Amino acid sequence: MDLHLDTITLVYPDGGSTLTAVDDVDVTIPSGTTTALLGPSGSGKSSLLAVAGGLTPPTAGTVRIGQDVVFHPGTTVAAATRTRLDRIGIVFQSPQLLGSLTALEQLELHAHLRGNRPASMRAQAMDLLAEVGMSDHAHKRPAQLSGGQRQRVAIARALIGTPQVLLVDEPTSALDHVRGTQVIDLITRLARELDAATLVVSHDASTLGFGRPDGPDARRTTRRRISARCVS
Ligand code: ADP
Ligand code: MG
């Protein structure tokens, strides 16, 4: 199903005044495709991702998956958590794996949190680890993996249970250009295969195959210089 961010504004309290981190952004991401959200540091990319993932309610606007309004200014934490577990996978900027669990166990725990029996999800977990090139490392803990490998485990973990939406924050920030491009290719391929509406945040347009963040094909640019572009 398509992901719609409809006129999203997010305002943070800032001492006595306020800070508008996301200013009236409209983006639609068709299912199975990947859209890059580009903009310099501080332009509100992570804030918008947090709204899209139900981690922060918008100050104004709505998030829809297909026809369903899933997040709006009045969404409760409990409702947002349920939606996130059922329908959304998130890869944070730092992989946030649990140190004591193997790669396979990270995926199984996530399947359990999503309400699936780990045993029934083992086959999908192994398939996803294979998709991200981590089959040989399924029984290793994070300390035994490189940064790029941990990130691929986090991508596989986000996709367990086949969420309708995949949100990825700055996947290339710790990688060189070649590895960054490989991770973007991996994400776009998985989005297509799993039919997930995918939003990837980056401050580095070149890794996504774009020269500059503000090219003529930017679908929409806010005053705070976020732009969204379809990658695949
Ligand atoms: P980006 O991910 O593009 O670097 P962020 O969304 O992290 O941008 O931040 C956008 C703006 O919102 C920045 O000015 C940042 O300082 C501010 N900000 C981010 N998170 C919070 C928060 N939880 N409370 C208050 N201000 C925040
Ligand atoms: Mg950020």
Side-chain angles (χ1 to χ4, degrees):
M1 281 192 240
D2 300 351
L3 172 67
H4 304 271
L5 309 181
D6 294 335
T7 60
I8 300 289
T9 294
L10 179 62
V11 179
Y12 293 117
D14 184 26
S17 87
T18 59
L19 187 151
T20 301
V22 178
D23 190 2
D24 194 25
V25 171
D26 268 308
V27 185
T28 289
I29 300 154
S31 66
T33 71
T34 299
T35 289
L37 191 69
L38 302 166
S41 179
S43 58
K45 304 180 301 295
S46 295
S47 297
L48 184 60
L49 204 80
V51 171
L55 300 164
T56 308
T59 308
T62 56
V63 177
R64 282 185 296 126
I65 300 177
Q67 298 293 313
D68 307 336
V69 173
V70 290
F71 309 126
H72 57 84
T75 306
T76 63
V77 171
T81 302
R82 190 67 256 161
T83 299
R84 194 164 55 247
L85 287 171
D86 289 346
R87 310 182 78 166
I88 300 172
I90 305 181
V91 185
F92 294 100
Q93 191 165 356
S94 64
Q96 306 204 347
L97 302 177
L98 294 167
S100 60
L101 299 185
T102 66
L104 178 61
E105 288 166 347
Q106 313 274 349
L107 272 63
E108 289 179 332
L109 174 62
H110 211 68
H112 176 68
L113 293 173
R114 289 201 150 145
N116 300 291
R117 297 225 332 279
S120 69
M121 296 304 286
R122 179 157 300 182
Q124 195 198 9
M126 287 306 295
D127 283 349
L128 281 168
L129 288 173
E131 289 273 15
V132 301
M134 291 294 292
S135 295
D136 292 345
H137 306 286
H139 301 291
K140 290 187 181 167
R141 294 186 168 74
Q144 298 167 285
L145 302 173
S146 72
Q149 290 173 332
R150 286 200 281 269
Q151 190 180 46
R152 282 185 275 150
V153 173
I155 292 168
R157 179 180 62 178
L159 289 167
I160 192 94
T162 321
Q164 294 160 339
V165 170
L166 176 64
L167 306 172
V168 190
D169 200 354
E170 301 273 7
T172 61
S173 60
L175 304 176
D176 61 40
H177 184 80
V178 172
R179 285 182 191 281
T181 305
Q182 287 170 350
V183 166
I184 296 298
D185 288 348
L186 173 66
I187 291 168
T188 56
R189 178 169 60 78
L190 290 170
R192 204 163 41 239
E193 285 176 10
L194 300 175
D195 206 26
T198 299
L199 186 61
V200 177
V201 161
S202 181
H203 68 275
D204 174 17
S206 68
T207 310
L208 298 158
F210 305 130
R212 309 187 295 121
D214 293 316
D217 56 336
R219 244 195 268 160
R220 174 168 175 110
T221 306
T222 71
R223 270 160 271 162
R224 294 185 69 84
R225 293 163 297 150
I226 290 182
S227 64
R229 288 205 239 167
C230 209
V231 180
S232 67

